[in-house]
DNA sequence: CAGTATCCTGTCCGATACTG
DNA sequence: CAGTATCGGACAGGATACTG
């Protein structure tokens, strides 16, 4: 993850991947969204080595996705809580879940997003909040934003 | 990406990451969505080494995200086109774009999702298609699906 | 229980050189 | 132009042992 450049990292996708691009980071966040807070929980649920877990938790804290909090003084015990940023990342996790279930769940759905009240599975789509229209099909595209450099602008033909 | 297990890979997120978890894969897909089709285009736009690009393109084809097509016989020229699966992955890319712009674009938005007709930037949210309600807040959660193993079920407390 | 410290392997990736 | 071949470095990740 020490790639030097993708358009000098102007791209929001690249910037995000730079911080949570490691395989385990996203899975740890998934588990945190699910409710895990303690080292031991992550370790068991994910089957990750403790040294790797330690590294990944540290960078997630560094990058503002998790907050490390002392929840017991004697003995000193830490818990890892989702920050607002970490919670916001749920949208990405949900999109990944929906995509994975649509494309790689030939043997059935093992994990899904459900409506907590009704208990019914949600059918997730990404929509434009302004119009409520799904951001699929040919109506939407990626395009340079106001802060795009000329380099990006050129490559995106805008 | 040769992690042996995450719940035997039942998780749709893990399954997706298994296929496109490498840093470059997602960026290549991003570029394909943007319109790139040729080796040379990807290479220039991303600043990726040709050997890596070759590997990543091959696995994206293997995993059904891209299709390799001969578009010129003499000289033999290949192009890489998004499959339906590749196009569906846009939802994840859009979610990543929205998240990245919300959290890591302190210097302005360099890349965004826009409505092609109006040219206006889209404000993207993930919603439940059934109700149209945003899948944020406490109303939605990740939960085991019908095909979840007992192992998963146990860990997810359901 | 909640981690840290070591050692090792795999491979992602970058740089470069080369081919039709 | 569209790639393949080869080399080397960095680091993610696995296994295991150890500490308060």
């Amino acid at each position: 993850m020490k790639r030097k450049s993708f358009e000098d990292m102007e791209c929001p996708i690249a910037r995000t991947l730079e911080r949570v691009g490691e395989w385990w980071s996203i899975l740890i966040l998934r588990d945190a969204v699910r409710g895990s807070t303690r080292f031991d929980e992550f370790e068991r649920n994910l089957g990750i080595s403790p040294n790797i877990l330690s590294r990944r938790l540290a960078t997630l804290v560094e990058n503002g996705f998790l907050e490390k909090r002392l929840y017991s003084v004697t003995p000193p015990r830490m818990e890892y809580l989702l920050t607002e940023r970490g919670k916001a990342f749920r949208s990405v996790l949900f999109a990944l879940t929906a995509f994975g279930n649509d494309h790689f769940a030939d043997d059935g759905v093992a994990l899904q997003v459900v409506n907590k009240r009704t208990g019914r599975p949600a059918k997730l789509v990404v929509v434009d909040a302004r119009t409520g229209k799904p951001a699929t099909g040919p109506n939407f595209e990626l395009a340079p934003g106001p802060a795009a450099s000329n380099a990006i602008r050129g490559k995106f033909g805008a």
Side-chain angles (χ1 to χ4, degrees), chain A:
Chain A
M1 211 64 23
K2 40 64 253 261
R3 226 125 316 48
K4 65 169 156 216
S5 75
F6 165 67
E7 307 301 0
D8 297 326
M9 302 302 303
E10 285 182 72
C11 172
I13 299 178
R15 284 185 177 174
T16 302
L17 292 177
E18 176 111 18
R19 281 138 175 124
V20 295
E22 293 87 18
W23 213 87
W24 282 123
S25 298
I26 294 181
L27 258 21
I28 290 170
L29 288 173
R30 189 214 64 113
D31 223 52
V33 163
R34 201 275 319 177
S36 291
T37 61
R38 301 216 313 277
F39 194 93
D40 168 69
E41 280 183 282
F42 290 114
E43 192 176 7
R44 275 202 327 279
N45 286 345
L46 299 172
I48 182 178
S49 302
N51 57 346
I52 299 300
L53 178 56
S54 185
R55 291 212 308 238
R56 292 284 76 87
L57 284 174
T59 72
L60 285 171
V61 169
E62 262 175 51
N63 288 313
F65 287 81
L66 295 177
E67 192 183 359
K68 190 175 186 173
R69 220 187 50 124
L70 193 71
Y71 75 92
S72 156
V73 180
T74 50
R77 291 285 181 262
M78 297 296 186
E79 63 183 349
Y80 300 87
L81 303 176
L82 285 168
T83 61
E84 285 310 309
R85 174 174 294 172
K87 288 176 193 164
F89 193 71
R90 292 203 332 171
S91 59
V92 175
L93 293 174
F94 284 6
L96 276 169
T97 303
F99 178 85
N101 280 333
D102 283 350
H103 289 269
F104 306 121
D106 28 290
D107 53 349
V109 171
L111 182 67
Q112 60 191 345
V113 181
V114 302
N115 185 316
K116 242 176 169 171
R117 296 166 197 263
T118 67
R120 295 175 60 188
K123 173 82 183 120
L124 297 181
V125 287
V126 178
V127 305
D128 183 353
R130 218 185 313 268
T131 65
K133 292 237 161 58
T136 50
N139 296 345
F140 291 84
E141 64 179 349
L142 292 169
S149 69
N150 288 333
I152 284 228
R153 226 171 275 282
K155 288 173 188 176
F156 278 70

